[in-house]
Amino acid sequence: MNKNVEKKYFTLLIISIVLLICVVLLALIIGRFSISIKDVVNFIVGKSDSNSLNHNVILKLRLPRTLMALFVGCALSLSGIVYQETFQNRLVSPDILGVSSGASVGIALGLLVGVPVIFISLMGFVFGILSMISTLLLAKVFYNKTPMILILSGVIVGGFMTSILSIIKSIANADTILPTITYWLLGSFDKTEISDVFIIAPIVVISATIFVVIKWKINLISLGEEEATTKGIDYKKYRLVIICVATLLTASAVAFSGVVGWVGLVIPQIVRIMIGRNTKYTIPLTITFGALFMVIADIISRSFFQAEIPLSAVTGFIGVPIFVLILTFKKTEVNVRD
Amino acid sequence: MIEIKDVTFSYVNESRNVLERISINVPKGGITTVLGLNGSGKTTFIKLLVNLLKPSMGTIKVNGYSIASMSIKERSKMISYVSQLTKNDHDFIVFDYLSFSLANCLGGFRAPTSKEEEKILEYANKFKIADLLSKRLSNLSGGERQIVSICGAFIQNTPIIVLDEPTSALDLKNQSIVIKAIKEWNRSKEKTIILSSHNPNHALSLGGNVILLDDSKIIKNGSVEDIITVENLKQVYGDIIDYAKNIKHNIIAIK
């Protein structure tokens, strides 16, 4: 019965992994400074001259940002799909609990005060988590158990954070700090260093492992509290774990890359169209396709024009048409609830 | 088997009791229909049985053990639950959806193995829904959807099955299909089935026992023959009820 789906799943998984490897290699080759395939192969096998320009461009510029794109793509699309399943709403995106706005405030504040660059991401991360906690606490105050109340609380906290961000921007020096804040928040990997990759990699790998381990049970969480509980699942515990881990993923992504829209919304939809609804299959595929999408978006953002295009603009240009197509041709796939 | 003692329930911040000092024993095996008007407390009664709501006072025990003190897993091995048909349909494939009913017997985080999934095919054949297995839930009719949910409750393999208005939101034909199916599948009386309904005809058709709820209290309970009488029904439904005894099968009609 499930044999066909399983076969399709493994085929898609292998295709996406192979494509991902190809695209990562391509990302090391493509750029304004031309590097040959031979140089990249030499770099990978460790035969390139460590003093050469090619070697340094790959090691210090292209490899860190490509790996960062890969991890941020995983993080955003994965948190997108688990939020959508948990809140039973296909139009939910990773910033739903006010995490992105909170992280933006942290980053802007960091830049305003002038803390060292390494701490700016950390501040984004901390503020992202604080926003999520505020959202959870606010939802408790309302004394309403529906998933909708959490989303509403997220909108409230997000709105409040946006106000704070406006204040920070208005008092920031318009010639020096304001452009930096604006550019950072538009989303980019151009400041990524390999040390950043070492911070985000374990977060994404551990979080993704957790979701892969509980991938089948996420199906039951998506049925809602009543059905999940009566079928023997500790709904509240699972939901808390899912929300916390997904928030961790979102906060780290925003902290290192700024606010990048559409990935968390579009990738889960595409994956569902390809393989169906069962999270046993959608979770792993969302990881590979999310990474693939983001690495491609990064290549586009830095290759087509003299100046870099902000990531959000690229993901928007790709994401919006895809989303419109999905809504037009697959009406049954997008089931808006609540 | 199920022992409900002095159970009172009210929602937080509301002074009115939805159920008031309910005491009743539900015997093992067979079907019990909880009858009453909208707002009489049927759904609350059903949700208390599966611990989705907790009594403000009183206790509910199954085989001598309080259901509130059981773990979620223990409870899911004892009682399965079929909710009212709602509009927010999941678009899972029927086969996948039915596999979720196996969750209560799986250790750790794993999905059921293909050997464990054989049980789904077995029950689907028994319930005559094998041809629906590859369809999406959202493409089924209301009646088919409810039959799939009830099949899931049987796959969950619990001695007690609790159904909250399984026929609500169904047309007459589908109501009849679901009621007949429940009766048919429990012919051997191996399961204790408790369901709520506002239609006395369902109780008549199902046989077994009836609990008559009105205004937060049990006003009568006993066998269908004893409880479904003109006098009793008029107490709940008022003067609109007419008992058409001249028809071959007893039918309660609206005047």
Side-chain angles (χ1 to χ4, degrees):
Chain A
M1 164 82 231
N2 261 346
K3 291 265 156 57
N4 288 340
V5 185
E6 209 129 283
K7 209 170 141 189
K8 194 173 168 189
Y9 162 69
F10 281 114
T11 313
L12 284 169
L13 193 64
I14 291 165
I15 290 176
S16 58
I17 291 172
V18 172
L19 275 177
L20 185 60
I21 294 169
C22 296
V23 170
V24 167
L25 291 178
L26 207 63
L28 299 181
I29 296 166
I30 294 179
R32 264 161 279 163
F33 181 82
S34 85
I35 290 176
S36 68
I37 301 174
K38 201 177 142 205
D39 291 331
V40 171
V41 173
N42 279 340
F43 174 81
I44 293 167
V45 296
K47 280 187 182 165
S48 63
D49 175 9
S50 61
N51 291 323
S52 72
L53 187 58
N54 287 353
H55 180 92
N56 282 308
V57 166
I58 296 177
L59 183 69
K60 297 208 171 119
L61 296 174
R62 291 193 191 158
L63 188 66
R65 70 179 298 159
T66 303
L67 290 178
M68 181 58 85
L70 187 146
F71 286 121
V72 167
C74 282
L76 290 177
S77 48
L78 198 50
S79 57
I81 194 166
V82 295
Y83 277 139
Q84 286 169 17
E85 295 296 354
T86 309
F87 294 118
Q88 302 175 299
N89 190 328
R90 298 282 177 85
L91 300 181
V92 162
S93 59
D95 52 2
I96 198 67
L97 297 180
V99 182
S100 299
S101 326
S104 304
V105 168
I107 289 165
L109 200 63
L111 292 168
L112 183 74
V113 180
V115 296
V117 178
I118 183 118
F119 291 117
I120 288 174
S121 295
L122 185 70
M123 280 187 74
F125 182 75
V126 171
F127 273 73
I129 302 284
L130 285 178
S131 296
M132 190 272 286
I133 294 170
S134 316
T135 302
L136 292 182
L137 290 177
L138 191 62
K140 272 207 180 299
V141 173
F142 288 132
Y143 201 82
N144 183 323
K145 282 183 172 176
T146 57
M148 200 59 196
I149 207 72
L150 254 183
I151 297 179
L152 186 65
S153 307
V155 171
I156 296 171
V157 171
F160 182 67
M161 289 298 169
T162 310
S163 308
I164 299 181
L165 186 61
S166 305
I167 294 173
I168 294 174
K169 280 181 172 174
S170 68
I171 55 174
N173 185 317
D175 295 324
T176 53
I177 298 169
L178 185 59
T180 320
I181 293 176
T182 310
Y183 190 67
W184 188 303
L185 294 181
L186 279 174
S188 170
F189 295 124
D190 75 337
K191 289 188 181 64
T192 305
E193 288 177 21
I194 201 76
S195 57
D196 298 336
V197 178
F198 287 131
I199 299 172
I200 198 171
I203 297 176
V204 175
V205 171
I206 292 169
S207 307
T209 310
I210 292 172
F211 286 135
V212 168
V213 169
I214 63 166
K215 61 185 178 176
W216 185 73
K217 298 250 162 143
I218 294 173
N219 278 319
L220 282 120
I221 300 306
S222 78
L223 297 176
E225 183 166 9
E226 283 193 2
E227 271 201 84
T229 310
T230 51
K231 282 181 165 48
I233 301 289
D234 193 339
Y235 177 84
K236 284 184 185 141
K237 204 158 82 186
Y238 270 93
R239 196 177 77 163
L240 187 69
V241 170
I242 290 171
I243 290 175
C244 289
V245 177
T247 303
L248 195 70
L249 284 174
T250 310
S252 12
V254 177
F256 287 107
S257 69
V259 183
V260 184
W262 293 101
V263 188
L265 198 57
V266 172
I267 297 299
Q269 306 282 9
I270 295 174
V271 169
R272 278 195 205 100
I273 288 173
M274 290 191 292
I275 197 76
R277 173 75 193 277
N278 196 335
T279 50
K280 186 174 141 187
Y281 308 120
T282 54
I283 298 279
L285 289 178
T286 300
I287 296 174
T288 53
F289 278 96
L292 187 62
F293 179 89
M294 204 53 147
V295 175
I296 294 174
D298 181 49
I299 295 175
I300 295 172
S301 89
R302 64 187 163 85
S303 310
F304 280 84
F305 295 98
Q306 201 61 34
E308 269 199 44
I309 315 167
L311 267 179
S312 277
V314 179
T315 54
F317 271 118
I318 310 174
V320 172
I322 293 176
F323 204 62
V324 170
L325 279 177
I326 293 168
L327 283 169
T328 315
F329 294 109
K330 282 274 190 181
K331 279 180 185 141
T332 53
E333 290 289 335
V334 184
N335 188 1
V336 190
R337 293 215 210 98
D338 273 325
Chain B
M1 173 155 217
I2 306 174
E3 194 187 327
I4 299 161
K5 207 171 168 188
D6 271 339
V7 166
T8 295
F9 179 85
S10 63
Y11 287 97
V12 181
N13 300 335
E14 273 182 40
S15 55
R16 192 183 83 91
N17 287 335
V18 186
L19 286 176
E20 216 170 297
R21 297 187 74 88
I22 302 271
S23 289
I24 192 168
N25 287 333
V26 180
K28 191 182 171 193
I31 297 172
T32 300
T33 310
V34 183
L35 268 184
L37 295 172
N38 291 343
S40 59
K42 296 190 300 291
T43 295
T44 305
F45 183 84
I46 291 287
K47 288 194 173 174
L48 285 167
L49 286 180
V50 281
N51 205 48
L52 288 174
L53 294 174
K54 290 170 186 65
S56 318
M57 276 192 300
T59 53
I60 300 172
K61 288 181 178 175
V62 173
N63 293 338
Y65 296 99
S66 157
I67 59 158
S69 55
M70 289 178 191
S71 71
I72 290 172
K73 203 144 202 178
E74 280 169 350
R75 213 180 300 122
S76 71
K77 287 178 179 171
M78 190 64 85
I79 314 168
S80 51
Y81 168 70
V82 177
S83 64
Q84 279 183 36
L85 192 65
T86 50
K87 276 235 174 329
N88 64 354
D89 242 337
H90 317 295
D91 50 0
F92 283 110
I93 304 290
V94 173
F95 184 90
D96 288 343
Y97 180 71
L98 289 175
S99 75
F100 305 152
S101 293
L102 297 167
N104 67 341
C105 60
L106 300 176
F109 304 107
R110 70 183 179 89
T113 60
S114 45
K115 185 150 181 63
E116 285 161 336
E117 284 178 345
E118 281 171 12
K119 200 170 164 190
I120 300 168
L121 288 175
E122 182 198 321
Y123 274 89
N125 285 325
K126 207 163 151 186
F127 282 55
K128 300 190 177 68
I129 52 163
D131 56 328
L132 302 181
L133 285 179
S134 55
K135 287 191 178 173
R136 275 170 189 271
L137 273 181
S138 48
N139 291 341
L140 303 185
S141 73
E144 288 172 331
R145 174 77 178 79
Q146 271 312 47
I147 304 259
V148 166
S149 294
I150 299 167
C151 180
F154 274 78
I155 291 173
Q156 203 174 326
N157 200 18
T158 54
I160 304 167
I161 298 178
V162 175
L163 305 99
D164 186 14
E165 301 220 30
T167 55
S168 71
L170 295 184
D171 60 31
L172 209 55
K173 184 185 165 198
N174 279 306
Q175 285 185 28
S176 148
I177 290 172
V178 170
I179 291 292
K180 272 188 187 157
I182 294 172
K183 200 175 166 184
E184 173 69 28
W185 297 326
N186 208 34
R187 211 172 268 284
S188 59
K189 294 194 175 172
E190 56 174 318
K191 306 267 182 201
T192 305
I193 296 184
I194 301 162
L195 68 130
S196 59
S197 174
H198 56 260
N199 190 339
N201 286 309
H202 295 158
L204 277 176
S205 170
L206 287 165
N209 293 316
V210 174
I211 297 171
L212 211 51
L213 268 182
D214 188 39
D215 200 18
S216 314
K217 294 186 188 75
I218 293 179
I219 56 164
K220 292 277 185 237
N221 78 83
S223 70
V224 170
E225 295 77 25
D226 293 341
I227 303 303
I228 307 287
T229 63
V230 180
E231 296 73 42
N232 286 344
L233 291 180
K234 277 191 175 164
Q235 261 192 58
V236 176
Y237 295 88
D239 213 18
I240 58 152
I241 290 289
D242 203 2
Y243 201 99
K245 280 215 162 178
N246 53 341
I247 298 176
K248 189 180 165 195
H249 298 291
N250 289 339
I251 287 181
I252 313 292
I254 299 167
K255 248 184 194 170

